[in-house]
Amino acid sequence: GDGTTVGPQSTATAAHTYSDAGTYTVAVAVTDTGGLTGSATRDIVVHAPSASGIDVSTGYYDTHHRNNLHPKPSPWMGAAGIVFVGTPDPSTGGWDTGAVRVDNSTGASVSATVTVTVGKTTFGLWGAQVIPNGQSLVLAQTAFQNFDTSDSSTAGCYSCDPVLCTTSVSPTVPIINVTIGGVLSRYYDRNQVLNTRGVDGAGCPYTGTRNDESQAWSSIPGPG
């Protein structure tokens, strides 16, 4: 599929290493001792290896709804070893944001581009960011509520029927796309921290008032 031919050979197994990720059409031709031939093709997908030493976590920070305020994800802006990209962190109000943390223990600085996909919406707010070795990149809203990842379900919206909190839960798993050195790795937020487990957590569970949505960092085991 990449212009390489292995063989002819007498054994039944051929090995080949692809230099780039992508979809390739592999073809095999076989000739038996009687001179009869057969052939087949198959499409295969080659994935690039994920960057070793890169770890991803998701969290949520909400000061927009003050009741029952939970602690924001920690570490956060201003902490040692944190490269923070987002709006300034006020003491009150203005925050209703998903959060992504990328930890770098590769042994060298890396340039990372991160996007987040929740259903049909992709957030690409931050551009390429340099993460020094041993430090962490934290990404949050860059303008008022422009990374409000919990608003991906009708459950919990203002003026919605409270019953929707149990009947309209979305199974959509947010995806954190991390590109380093041209290699894309996808991390799946299977605990749905970014979309507060499939509902708008400000209104689910329904309490008669709006809830705080803050959630601590939750580590994602690895890409894929």
Side-chain angles (χ1 to χ4, degrees):
D2 63 354
T4 301
T5 299
V6 179
Q9 60 184 45
S10 59
T11 58
T13 302
H16 176 60
T17 300
Y18 288 90
S19 59
D20 297 299
T23 300
Y24 298 90
T25 300
V26 178
V28 60
V30 179
T31 303
D32 68 11
T33 54
L36 300 176
T37 64
S39 63
T41 60
R42 178 70 59 86
D43 288 340
I44 64 168
V45 178
V46 177
H47 297 282
S50 60
S52 177
I54 297 296
D55 297 291
V56 173
S57 299
T58 52
Y60 207 96
Y61 182 36
D62 176 15
T63 62
H64 186 58
H65 310 110
R66 297 291 299 173
N67 60 305
N68 301 317
L69 187 65
H70 298 279
K72 64 188 175 186
S74 181
W76 193 250
M77 184 175 70
I82 295 297
V83 178
F84 185 88
V85 182
T87 54
D89 189 359
S91 58
T92 59
W95 279 90
D96 191 353
T97 180
V100 173
R101 192 181 89 211
V102 182
D103 304 325
N104 174 22
S105 59
T106 62
S109 292
V110 299
S111 178
T113 300
V114 179
T115 63
V116 175
T117 302
V118 185
K120 297 180 179 180
T121 301
T122 295
F123 301 88
L125 307 174
W126 310 280
Q129 301 292 330
V130 174
I131 317 174
N133 178 53
Q135 296 192 26
S136 300
L137 173 68
V138 172
L139 304 173
Q141 65 182 32
T142 59
F144 183 69
Q145 294 185 20
N146 69 345
F147 190 41
D148 186 354
T149 50
S150 72
D151 282 355
S152 58
S153 171
T154 57
C157 65
Y158 287 99
S159 302
C160 283
D161 183 344
V163 174
L164 294 176
C165 288
T166 56
T167 60
S168 294
V169 177
S170 170
T172 300
V173 172
I175 305 170
I176 299 90
N177 310 290
V178 181
T179 301
I180 297 175
V183 176
L184 170 63
S185 298
R186 292 186 174 90
Y187 296 79
Y188 292 84
D189 179 21
R190 300 191 189 281
N191 290 329
Q192 294 183 263
V193 172
L194 288 177
N195 58 349
T196 48
R197 288 158 184 81
V199 299
D200 183 356
C204 290
Y206 180 72
T207 60
T209 185
R210 307 303 283 176
N211 306 312
D212 172 59
E213 299 178 274
S214 297
Q215 297 190 55
W217 292 119
S218 177
S219 178
I220 296 176

